[in-house]
Amino acid sequence: MPEHLTKHSPKINFMKTVLRIFLYLIIVLVVAVVGFATFIQVRGIPKYEVDKIDYPDVQSDSDLVTNGAKIAAVQCIVCHRGSDGKLSGRLLQELPPDFGEVHSANITQSKEHGIGNWTDAQIAYLLRTGVKPDGQFLPPYMPKFPHASEYDIKSIIAFLRSDNAYVQASEIPKVPTKPSFLTKFLCFVAFKKIPYPAAPIAQPDTTNAVEFGHYLVTGRYDCYPCHSADFKTLNMEFPEKTPGYLGGGNKMITLDGKERFTANITPDEETGIGRWTLEDFTNAMLNSKNKEGHTLREPMLPYNGMTETELKSIWAYLQTVPKISNKVERKWEQD
């Protein structure tokens, strides 16, 4: 053997060994990634143990039903109203396709296809934790109400039990949702069951505008999920920790398939609503007109059921949130 090959053979052997180890590590990493992805795909959306809660049946009255109907107009009807005009469920076309094919549930009083057989405790548990009676967890596209007052939770239940036409039994079967791999992954690493409150949550002080506005934005009407940066990074347990909190830019899809991005509603003067007045804000909420007179596009709807106190309180709270400079593309032309 030539002398130069003999002289360098230990170095060559060392390089071969390093290369071999590196290749082994790559193979192990690829196998681990593929194995983890397969586990997530097969496992699907997780199930959780359902805790027993002491929740007496709601003693309904007209005030509870009226308040529940008002909350439902914002939180339930928009997503759950089906082809028969009842809350029988539908394909949620306005969600970004990243989540997969999402169908809202039949939440009418049907015992076979809806929630007619659910107890009040089961409804309350789902609303607060995101977990159904069978333990199935609902991903972030289903709102959760961990911060809602006990009165508001009872109001929603009273509405669902009422004689309102929206909730009368519909025998339209629920169409199964087909969650994407991303949705399954997020429910494994980020979105999990929210703890049920240890004690009943009291009604907020409606005379404190900022406190009441904070409650409406994060507890009752849930403005922040749509108006923060991305559904995929929501923090439902601690809303203010959501990245881009109220800074807009979240992608939505219109019913005709066009992309729309939610508005920045922080008090930033250049990219948010810092130059708006209370009157501008009220006009947007009640009449779907922004400061420049443009009509707000779907899925933003007019919230003409809100009271003057609620509107003033939300406005007062929005003045206190941290400003975010985030210029959101807004399309006003007919496209």
Side-chain angles (χ1 to χ4, degrees), residues 152-166:
D152 280 351
I153 293 294
K154 288 181 177 179
S155 295
I156 296 171
I157 294 172
F159 168 76
L160 293 172
R161 303 294 197 207
S162 73
D163 59 3
N164 189 289
Y166 277 122

Side-chain angles (χ1 to χ4, degrees), residues 177-224:
T177 286
K178 299 175 183 177
S180 65
F181 174 81
L182 176 62
T183 298
K184 296 175 183 178
F185 176 75
L186 289 173
C187 288
F188 182 78
V189 300
F191 296 104
K192 300 180 184 296
K193 169 186 172 182
I194 300 172
Y196 194 84
I201 299 175
Q203 280 285 84
D205 179 4
T206 58
T207 65
N208 183 324
V210 173
E211 178 184 330
F212 188 42
H214 171 260
Y215 172 74
L216 295 175
V217 169
T218 62
R220 179 186 290 175
Y221 294 135
D222 265 8
C223 309
Y224 79 92

Side-chain angles (χ1 to χ4, degrees), residues 55-75:
Y55 199 90
D57 287 344
V58 174
Q59 302 302 309
S60 182
D61 59 39
S62 59
D63 288 342
L64 279 175
V65 173
T66 299
N67 189 51
K70 181 178 171 181
I71 297 171
V74 177
Q75 296 286 21

Side-chain angles (χ1 to χ4, degrees), residues 224 227-230 233 241-248 266 324:
Y224 79 92
H227 282 281
S228 296
D230 197 317
T233 56
K241 294 183 179 180
T242 296
Y245 180 66
L246 299 179
T266 72
I324 293 179

Side-chain angles (χ1 to χ4, degrees), residues 132-150:
K132 295 168 60 178
D134 63 358
Q136 188 70 59
F137 178 69
L138 294 176
Y141 39 73
M142 167 63 189
K144 282 80 174 174
F145 302 89
H147 309 290
S149 71
E150 202 58 48

